[in-house]
Amino acid sequence: MTYRIALLPGDGVGGDVLEAGKRVLDAVGFEAEYEHGDIGWEFWKSEGNPLPERTIELLKATDCALFGAITSKPKDEAADELVPELRGKGLVYSSPIVGLRQRFNLHTNLRPCKAYEGNPLNLRDDIDLVVFRENTEGLYAGIEWHPVPDDVRQAMSSHPKMKRFDGVAGDDLAISTRVFSRQGCRAILRDAFEYAKQHAYPTVTVVEKPNVIRETSGLMVREARAMVKEYPGIELWETNIDAMCMWLVKNPQNYGVLVSSNMFGDILSDLAAQIVGGLGFACAGNIGDDYAVFEPTHGSAPKYVGQNKVNPIATIRSAKMMLDYLGEPDKAAKIETAVARVIGEKKVRTYDMGGAATTTDMAEAIADAVKEA
Ligand code: IPM
Ligand code: MG
């Protein structure tokens, strides 16, 4: 079967790492037609939209997408970089990857963080965690105001705790909301529990802060308590986000599946990535009911652009996740074996691992290992 895969290089080193991922996909005999999609900073500057509508249409005609990296800048800096014709029109930059997650309802961000034997960057060698991050709601849903309009203010004034802001002018107030739906909580929890069951993880840890953020974190934790009843043999652990950051450094080997909301999951997954080698190893799948986008979690690394330097393992592992999603477990397993072998052999190492291998060297070494896997 020939798949149709969208390739979305985006910004900076995105193109280099996607090239590396594709090299390994070719080596494993994955048959696909690749379609290039426009996305990223260049299109923000020239068109005022980093996620053009034509790209959305292109994605709809594919099985799933592999995404490289994106440059994001704060609102004012972004507006200053628009071509002169587009300036002053009130265009507001928003991250196209966040946009894609929302447009395609890619509710689950799956981020496996595993220590490969032989990786000099491991905090410990026995870490095997998977972070499930809710991907479309919460603080990243983009429902925010500055200045705060009167009607919003009025609606909020029904809450007694708004009183202390009564004297603050609308222009001096910024509000970002944290909206959770029961359905959203249940979707991410379901995926986390199902994954734990399928991969024999004994625990699911829900990571929130219900002692302070009572309503939203509270909803997530209550739903987790209800759902664990459907999974005999899996224990539910409840840990606050701040404590979890400490435990992940102290005893990461004790944890299996972690599940959290959008922002906490974002933070948690960077920390989880660092204890198994850093963002050069961190792969991700943004998975919805009908579509998925696979991406390394690192950014566009502007300082390494054009140097063929960054570690492509995050992207190669994302490509492996894509094969799992497409129902190609044998090919996926070969990539996994090849990655483990190359890291274990300790010969080919990119700069982050203390070596001098290029992005292409690493991709080639894994592609060669795939052929023997
Ligand atoms: C990630 C990134 C993104 C996010 C940025 C680039 C918008 O940090 O995928 O973790 O916050 O989701
Ligand atoms: Mg992040």
Side-chain angles (χ1 to χ4, degrees):
M1 156 151 190
T2 302
Y3 294 97
R4 293 190 79 186
I5 306 296
L7 284 185
L8 307 173
D11 305 311
V13 298
D16 288 358
V17 291
L18 276 202
E19 190 56 46
K22 195 170 157 296
R23 191 181 281 244
V24 174
L25 286 169
D26 289 345
V28 81
F30 177 64
E31 284 179 29
E33 278 169 24
Y34 293 96
E35 315 266 352
H36 171 97
D38 293 340
I39 191 167
W41 201 249
E42 193 188 326
F43 304 97
W44 161 251
K45 288 199 297 191
S46 58
E47 301 176 24
N49 184 1
L51 178 55
E53 220 34 54
R54 62 181 177 279
T55 304
I56 302 283
E57 290 310 312
L58 178 137
L59 296 185
K60 285 184 188 161
T62 58
D63 294 301
C64 62
L66 252 185
F67 175 81
I70 222 72
T71 296
S72 282
K73 297 189 187 178
K75 193 170 137 188
D76 295 344
E77 262 173 72
D80 288 345
E81 290 198 28
L82 284 169
V83 290
E85 311 87 87
L86 293 174
R87 281 184 214 154
K89 295 198 165 165
L91 291 170
V92 179
Y93 179 81
S94 69
S95 163
I97 182 66
V98 174
L100 271 183
R101 292 167 182 165
Q102 290 172 3
R103 270 303 269 276
F104 287 87
N105 191 22
L106 308 177
H107 47 73
T108 296
N109 196 327
L110 168 58
R111 297 183 157 178
C113 297
K114 171 176 156 186
Y116 288 93
E117 209 183 303
N119 185 351
L121 301 169
N122 291 339
L123 181 67
R124 307 172 47 112
D125 290 335
D126 53 357
I127 301 169
D128 181 10
L129 295 168
V130 187
V131 178
F132 279 80
R133 163 188 178 189
E134 199 292 319
N135 219 18
T136 55
E137 305 191 338
L139 259 168
Y140 294 7
I143 307 167
E144 42 185 12
W145 299 273
H146 175 79
V148 178
D150 285 342
D151 54 349
V152 173
R153 220 183 155 115
Q154 221 153 29
M156 289 184 76
S157 69
S158 70
H159 198 291
K161 295 221 163 130
M162 263 314 270
K163 264 229 144 334
R164 58 188 289 243
F165 298 102
D166 272 357
V168 184
D171 195 33
D172 294 333
L173 206 56
I175 296 178
S176 303
T177 62
R178 189 178 199 252
V179 181
F180 286 24
S181 69
R182 191 189 304 278
Q183 189 191 351
C185 293
R186 288 184 63 81
I188 191 69
L189 289 164
R190 179 66 70 199
D191 284 353
F193 277 111
E194 282 297 314
Y195 191 95
K197 184 174 162 188
Q198 272 163 29
H199 296 84
Y201 283 97
T203 60
V204 169
T205 306
V206 61
V207 186
E208 281 297 325
K209 186 89 183 178
N211 57 337
V212 178
I213 319 176
R214 293 178 191 284
E215 302 309 336
T216 43
S217 286
L219 182 63
M220 180 75 91
V221 171
R222 285 195 301 278
E223 289 301 325
R225 286 180 190 168
M227 199 174 285
V228 69
K229 297 191 182 124
E230 298 173 43
Y231 295 88
I234 297 178
E235 221 178 287
L236 175 68
W237 292 355
E238 298 173 17
T239 309
N240 285 340
I241 177 69
D242 49 346
M244 192 70 233
C245 291
M246 180 202 57
W247 290 120
L248 268 192
V249 174
K250 197 171 181 208
N251 284 325
Q253 74 284 1
N254 291 350
Y255 294 88
V257 172
L258 306 177
V259 56
S260 193
S261 50
N262 208 337
M263 186 181 76
F264 289 168
D266 186 19
I267 296 169
L268 203 57
S269 56
D270 270 23
L271 175 55
Q274 187 54 42
I275 59 179
V276 295
L279 291 178
F281 295 82
C283 50
N286 301 274
I287 303 171
D289 295 337
D290 313 308
Y291 198 69
V293 176
F294 297 87
E295 53 157 346
T297 70
H298 60 67
S300 59
K303 68 179 176 187
Y304 295 131
V305 171
Q307 297 183 33
N308 191 28
K309 186 168 176 173
V310 300
N311 190 342
I313 289 180
T315 305
I316 292 168
R317 294 184 65 214
S318 303
K320 179 256 169 197
M321 292 177 74
M322 177 179 88
L323 296 183
D324 280 325
Y325 169 81
L326 292 171
E328 297 283 353
D330 298 344
K331 291 187 172 75
K334 282 188 181 179
I335 296 184
E336 181 66 20
T337 305
V339 168
R341 154 122 48 116
V342 170
I343 297 172
E345 281 172 356
K346 305 180 184 174
K347 282 192 229 139
V348 182
R349 287 180 164 177
T350 41
Y351 82 97
D352 52 323
M353 302 168 80
T358 62
T359 306
T360 317
D361 294 336
M362 181 59 93
E364 253 166 31
I366 295 172
D368 287 345
V370 149
K371 291 180 194 147
E372 291 163 30

